[in-house]
């Protein structure tokens, strides 16, 4: 690992999990993902699961996240629950299948 990309995380942690690959399965193993109320006050633009490497398509949104978006393809999310979120449970732009 290394430092977080300042372009991608310029507005903070916009997602708990970010998936931007092909043929992925996220098995929550019966667990629930929920945003803490204190974090929701600090990060109002948040998704539990983001299906891309950034929350906006290029040249859109409140911050420059980069010139190219990499989106997920053929993702399965199963066996769990999504609890409280200040914005989205699952979000993605240009996701396929």
């Amino acid at each position: 690992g290394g430092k977080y990309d300042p372009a991608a995380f310029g507005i903070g942690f916009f997602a708990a999990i970010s998936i931007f690959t092909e043929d992925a399965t996220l098995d929550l193993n019966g667990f629930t993902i929920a945003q803490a109320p204190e974090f929701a006050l600090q990060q109002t633009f948040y998704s539990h699961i983001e299906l891309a490497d950034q929350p906006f398509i290029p040249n859109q949104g409140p911050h420059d996240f980069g010139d190219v978006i990499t989106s997920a393809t053929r993702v399965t999310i199963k066996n769990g629950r999504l609890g409280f979120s200040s914005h989205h449970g699952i979000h993605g732009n240009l996701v396929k299948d």
Side-chain angles (χ1 to χ4, degrees):
K3 293 184 177 181
Y4 292 102
D5 180 355
F9 295 95
I11 62 168
F13 287 93
F14 58 84
I17 299 170
S18 183
I19 301 171
F20 48 99
T21 190
E22 298 178 358
D23 301 312
T25 298
L26 174 61
D27 187 343
L28 298 173
N29 290 318
F31 287 94
T32 298
I33 298 175
Q35 187 182 23
E38 298 83 4
F39 183 54
L41 291 172
Q42 297 172 348
Q43 184 67 14
T44 57
F45 187 82
Y46 164 87
S47 301
H48 292 315
I49 301 166
E50 177 66 42
L51 298 177
D53 64 344
Q54 53 187 280
F56 289 93
I57 59 174
N59 302 313
Q60 299 292 316
H63 173 75
D64 180 8
F65 292 94
D67 295 330
V68 177
I69 186 171
T70 304
S71 300
T73 303
R74 295 180 301 278
V75 173
T76 300
I77 301 166
K78 65 181 187 175
N79 195 24
R81 296 176 53 169
L82 301 178
F84 173 74
S85 170
S86 62
H87 205 69
H88 297 292
I90 302 170
H91 178 264
N93 287 304
L94 308 176
V95 177
K96 297 177 184 169
D97 299 327

